[in-house]
Amino acid sequence: MSGLCGYISISDGAEPARQLLVGMAEPLSRFDSSPLRIEAAERCGVAVAAAADSASLHREGSLLVAIWGRPTLNGNADNLAERFGVLWRRQGAQACAALSGAFAVCLMDEQSGQVLLAIDRSGVHTMHYQQVAQGLLFASSAAALQAHPLAVSALDPQAIYNYLYFHTIPAPRSIYRGQRRLLPGEYLDYRQGKLHCGEYWKMAYHEDSQLPFTELRQQFLSTLESSVRQAVGTASTGAFLSGGTDSSTLAGMLANVSGSAPRTYSIGFDVAGYDEMEYARIAARHFGADHHELYVTASDVTAAIPRIAAASDQPFGNSSAVPAYYCANMARIDGVSRLLGGDGGDELFGGNERYAHQAVLSRYERVPSALRQVALEPLLFGLAGKVNLGLLRKARSYVEQAVVPMPARLETYNLLRRYGAGDVLDPGFLASVDQDGPIGQLNDCYWKGRGLSQINRMQTLDLRYTLADNDLRKVSLACELGGVEVAFPFLSDDMLAFSSRLSPRDKLNGTRLRYFFKRALRGYLPPAILRKKKHGFGLPFGHWLQQDAGLRGLVFDSLNDLKRRRIVRADFIDRLMRTLVSEHPAYHGTMVWVLMMLEQWLARSGPPVRPQP
């Protein structure tokens, strides 16, 4: 909800600064009508649309400072913008490291033409920017940036390709050509028409930590409670409750902090294999929650799809945004103004199933290379490759995956790769993109952690791609559309620092996920919650697509319109809808959703024809 926007120009503009800023800021408050504060000079200005406790602005001479969010500066929340300006004069961009919490910050000096932009360590808030001939435009929302008359509106084909690969568009790219986004913990320094990006913070792992379990447990529980207390503040607060370890833990801590029954909100599906409401009820009973439930239907999904697409800054293909939206809407109707989200727990404490799977595959690397190349692989893929016995088939599958280097091995089941980009995409569109671009991004991020354990390199990857680019965007979008704020206690700076001190074995012990986390919460969480596998708010879209005429009609209309854009091959769309989805609704339904949401976004925000290469 809300946000920040602004610009700096190297020449006098024909349109008054205040008028430009009002136009840019309009999309920021479209859902909550947040009050607008503007600081404008002759050639630059900044606007923040936010509640009073989420906006800090300061002007001193030619210096403008604006902060959106509720961070603290060296532990103090008073006069944030003014104090940040003083610190910047002494420390430059590294002043950002003194800010703690979720934030977006802008500092502009009109006299020198310098701009500093930065976002928080986890990327809870975002920042888009675009350099134009006349200066620099920026905003926490792409829609706000696009409202400036100098913004470039052409779409970026590579960003669309990346969307089809990742189901979101990872930073630093944006859907718009030439527009970029800051990465978590990153700043942008703009001077004399030149851009420089740098890190003011990155996770520093201490892999040889040897603190006793009892001491670690006490630190963890204390940090968790203080993080929840800070996230709650004085707001009327509730919590998402999926019945997993993270959301259940936050529900319990909310009870501790508030001293009353926590208000919790869960979504269910009346479809076998998808509904996990019983786990949410177990956690709610255990913590004495004031629990609220809603069963989402196919009709609800049909109604929500256009709203979510219209509210998105760029194409977004995570279907869990739908149940998250209905959860947020239910909380708002109940009088809640802020929800606690459990996002970050998996990434910080080793909870993703692929961590264990990749640990098993990595054991193959310990087999001497001579034995692998001379004996095992010729046997499995030679003579034995013609035999389809179950055990040999499993062994071949294991080795086929294990010989792929990380992080490409994580993309073994990537839908675009499995279908084949050439079979999915129009030849003309495919010729305009770099098919190796996505895996190149993953490699750059993964190997920045060279020398770290595999679990921590995967954590680094997930903090950026799974969390900042996907899960946080999903929950933030859903809550903005639902009319409530969201806070993520697991992503407090103190919790990030605590996670960095855990040894790799504390996160993944053999194949046991969340080893420390589950031990630390034994006796606090119900045993059934500690034993359950991760599920979340997964949507039975493929099943409903087969059963509900209204949803099917929306999908068919969307995909037929997408055919005309010459991005996706028409014959692939026909095969997907006529045969593949009926063969495996859950698996192929994911690609249907991704393509549908692309068309839904393009129909509202993009050009009517294929983006130019």
Side-chain angles (χ1 to χ4, degrees), residues 532-586:
K532 81 177 286 290
K533 290 187 176 182
K534 178 178 174 60
H535 189 275
F537 288 151
L539 192 71
F541 173 70
H543 171 85
W544 281 335
L545 187 58
Q546 305 295 299
Q547 305 293 326
D548 187 84
L551 180 58
R552 193 163 58 249
L554 175 65
V555 170
F556 271 95
D557 289 344
S558 296
L559 296 194
N560 278 332
D561 290 343
L562 183 61
K563 289 179 183 179
R564 294 194 285 269
R565 295 186 186 276
R566 293 164 51 212
I567 296 173
V568 181
R569 294 172 61 112
D571 58 346
F572 172 77
I573 291 176
D574 290 339
R575 183 165 65 96
L576 181 66
M577 294 303 295
R578 289 173 183 171
T579 61
L580 296 180
V581 170
S582 58
E583 291 172 3
H584 198 317

Side-chain angles (χ1 to χ4, degrees), residues 36-78:
L36 180 64
R37 295 178 60 188
I38 292 176
E39 286 289 348
E42 185 176 347
R43 292 186 295 108
C44 66
V46 62
V48 181
D53 63 346
S54 297
S56 180
L57 282 82
H58 177 68
R59 181 174 182 177
E60 182 179 345
S62 65
L63 188 68
L64 300 180
V65 184
I67 299 176
W68 171 48
R70 295 187 183 87
T72 59
L73 180 62
N74 291 326
N76 187 342
D78 297 332

Side-chain angles (χ1 to χ4, degrees), residues 58-388:
H58 177 68
R59 181 174 182 177
E60 182 179 345
S62 65
L63 188 68
L64 300 180
V65 184
I67 299 176
W68 171 48
R70 295 187 183 87
T72 59
L73 180 62
N74 291 326
N76 187 342
D78 297 332
N79 302 317
L80 273 175
E82 180 180 358
R83 291 168 50 232
F84 183 80
V86 171
L87 192 62
W88 171 79
R89 292 188 186 281
R90 296 201 306 261
Q91 298 183 2
Q94 278 307 121
C96 299
L99 287 169
S100 177
F103 67 86
V105 62
C106 157
L107 180 147
M108 289 189 290
D109 188 333
E110 185 183 27
Q111 184 175 355
S112 66
Q114 185 174 356
V115 180
L116 174 70
L117 305 174
I119 59 171
D120 57 85
R121 291 157 172 79
S122 296
V124 174
H125 289 328
T126 59
M127 184 65 77
H128 303 245
Y129 62 93
Q130 188 169 77
Q131 186 172 15
V132 295
Q134 295 88 341
L136 182 72
L137 318 176
F138 57 89
S140 57
S141 155
L145 193 153
Q146 290 304 116
H148 193 286
L150 295 179
V152 177
S153 60
L155 300 189
D156 181 359
Q158 186 66 45
I160 294 175
Y161 181 84
N162 291 357
Y163 166 77
L164 295 171
Y165 189 96
F166 291 110
H167 308 172
T168 185
I169 300 173
R173 278 194 183 268
S174 162
I175 186 63
Y176 297 104
R177 190 191 298 271
Q179 188 181 123
R180 291 292 183 264
R181 290 183 294 142
L182 291 179
L183 299 173
E186 188 177 55
Y187 68 85
L188 171 76
D189 191 2
Y190 172 84
R191 310 186 189 202
Q192 299 175 342
K194 294 182 179 179
L195 299 176
H196 169 71
C197 286
E199 293 177 329
Y200 70 84
W201 177 89
K202 64 180 179 179
M203 184 80 89
Y205 297 96
H206 307 279
E207 296 202 334
D208 56 354
S209 175
Q210 298 294 324
L211 288 177
F213 169 75
T214 52
E215 186 175 341
L216 274 177
R217 182 178 186 271
Q218 183 56 44
Q219 287 182 14
F220 169 64
L221 294 177
S222 175
T223 301
L224 180 59
E225 183 168 344
S226 66
S227 297
V228 171
R229 190 179 303 280
Q230 183 179 19
V232 170
T234 59
S236 173
T237 305
F240 286 101
L241 183 58
S242 68
T245 52
D246 294 326
S247 63
S248 300
T249 300
L250 292 185
M253 281 296 170
L254 181 57
N256 292 356
V257 166
S258 66
S260 59
R263 284 185 281 182
T264 55
Y265 300 88
S266 298
I267 296 296
F269 310 105
D270 192 15
V271 177
Y274 285 88
D275 184 47
E276 294 208 327
M277 189 69 82
E278 184 52 39
Y279 286 102
R281 291 169 182 161
I282 289 171
R285 288 193 297 268
H286 184 75
F287 293 115
D290 177 10
H291 187 54
H292 305 260
E293 300 176 355
L294 177 68
Y295 272 78
V296 168
T297 67
S299 297
D300 294 325
V301 175
T302 305
I305 285 169
R307 298 177 202 166
I308 290 173
S312 301
D313 266 337
Q314 51 193 13
F316 187 67
N318 188 333
S319 64
S320 293
V322 173
Y325 158 62
Y326 280 109
C327 216
N329 193 54
M330 179 169 46
R332 177 186 55 79
I333 293 170
D334 194 43
V336 165
S337 60
R338 189 176 302 162
L339 279 171
L340 303 184
D343 302 85
D346 280 330
E347 290 73 23
L348 294 183
F349 296 101
N352 289 322
E353 292 288 344
R354 60 182 170 274
Y355 296 157
H357 180 62
Q358 295 303 326
V360 171
L361 291 175
S362 293
R363 292 172 184 171
Y364 187 67
E365 299 170 0
R366 303 173 197 165
V367 178
S369 59
L371 179 59
R372 297 199 311 257
Q373 297 170 11
V374 175
L376 289 177
E377 291 168 20
L379 175 65
L380 288 172
F381 301 111
L383 292 176
K386 302 174 183 178
V387 180
N388 201 31

Side-chain angles (χ1 to χ4, degrees), residues 123 152 154 178 297 306 363 471 482 492 500 511 524 577 613:
V152 177
T297 67
R363 292 172 184 171
D471 289 344
S492 72
S500 72
T511 58
Y524 183 81
M577 294 303 295

